[in-house]
Amino acid sequence: MSAIRLVRFTGRLLLAPAAVAMLVVVFLALIALTDGAGSGLAAWLTTLGVGVVLAMWRGRRRTWPARLVLFLPVVVAAALTASVCVPTVPTARRYPPALPFVTTQHWSLSTGSRVAVYHYPPANPGPRHPVPLVYLNGGPVRGISVLDHRFLQLLARQGYDVYVYEQAGGGRSDLLPMGQYTISRSVHDLAAFIDRLNKGKVDILGFSSGGAVLTRALADPSVAARLHRAIIAEPGPMDGPTAHITGHKGRKSARGLATAMTGPRSTHVPRYAVAFGLMRLGLLSPATGLIGQAEGDNAFTAADLGSDTASAYCARDAHRIPAEDTAQNFSFSPAASLRVQQTVKDSPSIAPHLRQSRTPAMLMIAECSSQVRQWATAILANDPAIQRTQYMPGVGHHMWNGLDDNNDRAAAVITAFLQDKPARLPNYPTRDEIPAFLRDHK
């Protein structure tokens, strides 16, 4: 080979990485444009076709050895992007195995949802609270953690008849078609669950996104009529205007301070890194054709939550964040969760309806909350039936976390309200104190 030919051949090889990168970018753009149609194969075949045409056009006046070199980036790009089109986990839903300490029941609700239900009957010989207590967990569309189950067992030991269900699509509950995951469906499922329970009015404890569901239930007279008392703990945004607030958060959390979660991550696999990444950016819809809902649920792991778990704890607890769940029990539906959150963002204000609420309610706010403070104070400002607010010192968003006496303190606040006994903590902040609270607690 002459020196001139060697230089030209080397130059074409040096251009190969740029060509590969260009084809990968084209592939990702097509994934977004086609919404991942056909498990990404539509984008892959189109990218391959574009690469082949370009290579043939560039090599039309070259010898065959030179033409073959131009196809090398196409082959490499095809191999790299093909990994995005091939599932590495089962595409049919794998539900978590049964828990060893509580029986899983499955109830079919009048809404069409089929949900996993757990019952903790009163477990003490002393006085029993006559009104059932229903727990709405956070997520949205996440299974109930073992840490939450332990807290519910504590409430049962204090005489409460505790019922909890995993909302449609979460944990051991059946999946819904993606278009049916809405915040309104969550509220209707709550009403249907209470009707299925058939024990009259119930007390409700709603945590995080479960607190947002409970808030919207309080704003709906037909659902609120089924509620005896309501406890809204660390709520998510209640409607579109609230969801778009960017404001104060609580005192410093353990985000960025805690040791990174260990264990396998779906986001280390190209297929799920692309799918979940583009969904979070809004470039793929939750109903994307790239991965099905069941496959995404099977792939997602606790480690994929990253620093979200640490953000639920105070900075002082960064070195001792407890294991919230087991790998076998962990369940989260990222696509369905994004879908529900989007329906909250798209919903109109519920404040005018919430102002008509008459159900006695309590609001719980954590000192190191990772939630926007106005998500809670907007409820306080608009719900005239909130009788007390309990600002919980020394805890983050996940207030009952098994550390120190945090579970006992949270249970004491909850039970005092449910029994209409004096508050364990000052009633703070009041509605008049909201501006000062937002200023001083950040």
Side-chain angles (χ1 to χ4, degrees):
M1 182 180 292
S2 68
I4 294 176
R5 288 181 178 177
L6 179 61
V7 169
R8 288 176 178 172
F9 180 78
T10 303
R12 286 193 289 269
L13 287 179
L14 290 175
L15 288 174
V20 171
M22 180 198 72
L23 289 173
V24 170
V25 170
V26 168
F27 172 74
L28 294 176
L30 289 170
I31 285 284
L33 289 172
T34 62
D35 200 24
S39 195
L41 286 174
W44 187 81
L45 290 171
T46 304
T47 303
L48 182 61
V50 168
V52 169
V53 169
L54 288 175
M56 292 178 64
W57 182 78
R58 289 187 62 197
R60 64 191 185 282
R61 294 181 181 145
R62 301 180 184 181
T63 62
W64 272 110
R67 292 181 187 179
L68 291 177
V69 171
L70 293 175
F71 281 91
L72 181 61
V74 180
V75 173
V76 173
L80 289 174
T81 53
S83 62
V84 176
C85 305
V86 180
T88 60
V89 300
T91 56
R93 181 70 174 109
R94 294 183 306 180
Y95 292 95
L99 291 165
F101 49 80
V102 65
T103 300
T104 305
Q105 305 174 54
H106 284 93
W107 290 6
S108 295
L109 305 181
S110 60
T111 56
S113 298
R114 187 170 181 269
V115 297
V117 181
Y118 311 94
H119 179 210
Y120 292 106
N124 72 336
R128 298 187 175 187
H129 196 65
V131 181
L133 174 62
V134 175
Y135 176 62
L136 288 175
N137 68 303
V141 199
R142 179 174 176 176
I144 299 166
S145 70
V146 171
L147 203 60
D148 279 4
H149 277 288
R150 290 173 184 156
F151 182 65
L152 299 175
Q153 290 170 327
L154 171 61
L155 293 175
R157 289 195 297 271
Q158 297 187 6
Y160 289 85
D161 193 16
V162 181
Y163 288 86
V164 55
Y165 68 96
E166 288 173 314
Q167 297 171 49
R172 296 163 186 82
S173 294
D174 287 5
L175 307 182
L176 295 176
M178 188 58 66
Q180 293 186 25
Y181 289 106
T182 66
I183 189 62
S184 295
R185 176 61 171 264
S186 299
V187 175
H188 294 153
D189 278 353
L190 171 60
F193 178 83
I194 298 171
D195 290 344
R196 175 69 170 75
L197 184 59
N198 195 28
K199 291 198 173 186
K201 288 189 175 184
V202 300
D203 294 328
I204 303 281
L205 168 60
F207 167 65
S208 193
S209 64
V213 173
L214 177 53
T215 301
R216 295 181 72 96
L218 293 172
D220 184 333
S222 65
V223 183
R226 298 168 169 87
L227 310 183
H228 178 252
R229 283 179 173 259
I231 300 169
I232 305 165
E234 280 287 287
M238 64 182 185
D239 55 22
T242 311
H244 290 92
I245 291 175
T246 55
H248 306 297
K249 295 186 179 182
R251 301 200 191 282
K252 187 171 179 59
S253 75
R255 182 188 288 271
L257 302 175
T259 303
M261 291 186 68
T262 58
R265 294 174 182 256
S266 69
T267 47
H268 289 170
V269 179
R271 177 173 176 82
Y272 307 112
V274 169
F276 297 145
L278 293 181
M279 272 194 277
R280 285 191 66 87
L281 292 172
L283 298 176
L284 285 181
S285 73
T288 176
L290 181 57
I291 60 170
Q293 178 189 172
E295 182 188 349
D297 293 4
N298 294 338
F300 202 88
T301 68
D304 286 319
L305 293 175
S307 59
D308 283 358
T309 298
S311 70
Y313 294 83
C314 290
R316 66 178 73 93
D317 294 325
H319 66 289
R320 57 171 193 157
I321 293 176
E324 294 194 339
D325 213 345
T326 64
Q328 295 75 23
N329 186 62
F330 177 82
S331 172
F332 182 70
S333 180
S337 182
L338 287 172
R339 163 75 182 162
V340 173
Q341 292 176 61
Q342 189 59 53
T343 65
V344 174
K345 294 176 182 177
D346 293 341
S347 67
S349 173
I350 65 167
H353 303 287
L354 189 59
R355 294 186 192 115
Q356 306 304 314
S357 175
R358 296 297 178 263
T359 304
M362 178 177 75
L363 183 64
M364 297 176 71
I365 304 176
E367 177 186 4
C368 309
S369 177
S370 55
Q371 307 285 80
V372 174
R373 289 295 197 194
Q374 286 91 332
W375 292 351
T377 58
I379 298 171
L380 177 60
N382 289 288
D383 185 349
I386 290 181
Q387 297 180 347
R388 63 180 75 167
T389 303
Q390 302 284 264
Y391 177 73
M392 304 293 291
V395 293
H397 178 59
H398 205 156
M399 293 182 284
W400 39 86
N401 52 39
L403 298 177
D404 303 327
D405 64 343
N406 292 341
N407 283 17
D408 291 329
R409 290 196 297 129
V413 165
I414 290 168
T415 57
F417 174 72
L418 293 179
Q419 296 173 23
D420 201 20
K421 292 182 177 179
R424 299 300 182 97
L425 296 169
N427 180 26
Y428 175 78
T430 63
R431 291 176 185 82
D432 293 340
E433 293 171 322
I434 289 175
F437 175 77
L438 293 175
R439 182 184 66 243
D440 298 338
H441 293 273
K442 60 180 180 177

